[in-house]
Amino acid sequence: MAPPATRFLVLSDIHANGTALDAVLEAAAARWDRAVCLGDLVGYGPDPNEVIERIRTLGATAIRGNHDKAGCGLDEAEDFNDIARQAVMWTRQQLHPENRDYLRKLPAGPLEVDGVVLVHGSLHDEDEYVFAPAQALPGLLDAPTPVCFFGHTHFQSGFSFRDGKLEVLHLHPASTVQFTALRIEPGTRYLLNPGSVGQPRDGDPRAAFAIADLVHHVVEFWRVPYDVRAVQQRMRRAGLPEPLVLRLSHGR
Ligand code: ZN
């Protein structure tokens, strides 16, 4: 059996953006020994097969997101808006059968891996958006490990809980730096979102991810620039909806 991971590469919401994923893997090179993915490998972006194949090659431990369920046909995308549903239909047409099968077999969160818990939305509902402290509290209280990673909102963000006090953490690195580091304190519980690799919505168009070193009690929250225009060109060629193309420029 492989030894437990000491440094996790934490990816979420890649959304079929192969160029952003490449930039992340280049920046993170040799800094991690186990990759995990919090869901939404596909949807919105132009590279669903490439992203799935890359995640499989990395040997990443992945859970499913709502776009993975819709893209492989496990979910009919009835609660998606028109634009998102158009992207779902395009993704379904593109997926190679073996990649569709890979998505169909992805487990739902929560999934515990080497001392951390992975969820897509929240601990109790894989499709819930956790933006506010009240939404974070049940996960902070009930997660089986002190550190739980979540995605789905596309905001690099987090919460901590200690001695009855919930704190909102500011983890987003300034535009002039590549990462901010969070010290993990013993006795404190954390709910942490690495941000979205392929479609950030927190106002920073750079690709987001995290590196968690639980031996040294530190989680780094990274942002790296990538060639947004190259992705936008592929999206336009594929006929994906223009609002999805434009939002990548603004990270909103
Ligand atoms: Zn997503």
Side-chain angles (χ1 to χ4, degrees):
M1 229 171 85
T6 56
R7 289 179 301 172
F8 295 92
L9 172 64
V10 189
L11 307 172
S12 192
D13 298 282
I14 303 167
H15 282 293
N17 185 335
T19 307
L21 179 57
D22 283 346
V24 163
L25 293 176
E26 197 180 314
R31 295 172 191 271
W32 56 274
D33 49 37
R34 179 161 198 168
V36 296
C37 179
L38 311 176
D40 282 3
L41 283 73
V42 304
Y44 300 136
D47 316 309
N49 289 302
E50 292 81 354
V51 164
I52 293 170
E53 282 153 22
R54 183 65 57 90
I55 288 297
R56 295 174 71 176
T57 307
L58 290 175
T61 301
I63 57 171
R64 69 188 190 185
N66 51 322
H67 284 263
D68 304 319
K69 280 188 283 182
C72 70
L74 280 180
D75 179 287
E76 276 318 307
E78 277 155 0
D79 52 349
F80 282 50
N81 65 39
D82 278 351
I83 286 171
R85 199 176 311 107
Q86 282 179 52
V88 166
M89 296 311 158
W90 181 86
T91 301
R92 285 184 184 175
Q93 287 167 5
Q94 302 300 313
L95 279 178
H96 302 158
E98 66 273 19
N99 291 334
R100 187 172 53 237
D101 281 353
Y102 172 82
L103 292 183
R104 290 185 88 99
K105 288 178 185 150
L106 282 178
L111 183 71
E112 191 173 333
V113 183
D114 289 349
V116 299
V117 168
L118 316 178
V119 302
H120 183 63
S122 76
L123 188 75
H124 300 285
D125 178 354
E126 62 181 328
D127 296 330
E128 182 186 7
Y129 290 92
V130 174
F131 281 110
Q135 297 162 324
L137 188 60
L140 284 165
L141 293 176
D142 298 343
T145 60
V147 176
C148 175
F149 289 103
F150 73 105
H152 197 36
T153 63
H154 300 207
F155 274 63
Q156 205 167 32
S157 59
F159 305 89
S160 68
F161 187 82
R162 184 195 182 95
D163 298 334
K165 190 165 171 269
L166 193 158
E167 246 181 85
V168 178
L169 304 172
H170 298 282
L171 305 168
H172 184 171
S175 59
T176 49
V177 296
Q178 271 201 309
F179 71 87
T180 54
L182 170 73
R183 174 114 197 122
I184 300 297
E185 304 289 347
T188 302
R189 304 179 66 79
Y190 296 89
L191 198 55
L192 303 172
N193 190 325
S196 167
V197 171
Q199 197 207 68
R201 295 178 190 164
D202 52 9
D204 184 344
R206 295 177 295 173
F209 66 101
I211 294 175
D213 182 340
L214 296 183
V215 172
H216 298 99
H217 311 287
V218 62
V219 182
E220 295 171 354
F221 293 83
W222 281 72
R223 296 309 275 253
V224 291
Y226 69 94
D227 188 351
V228 172
R229 276 165 186 256
V231 181
Q232 291 173 319
Q233 275 177 8
R234 291 200 299 281
M235 291 176 78
R236 289 196 173 110
R237 247 183 273 138
L240 284 159
E242 188 67 13
L244 298 177
V245 177
L246 294 175
R247 72 185 305 174
L248 294 183
S249 302
H250 309 291
R252 291 209 186 273

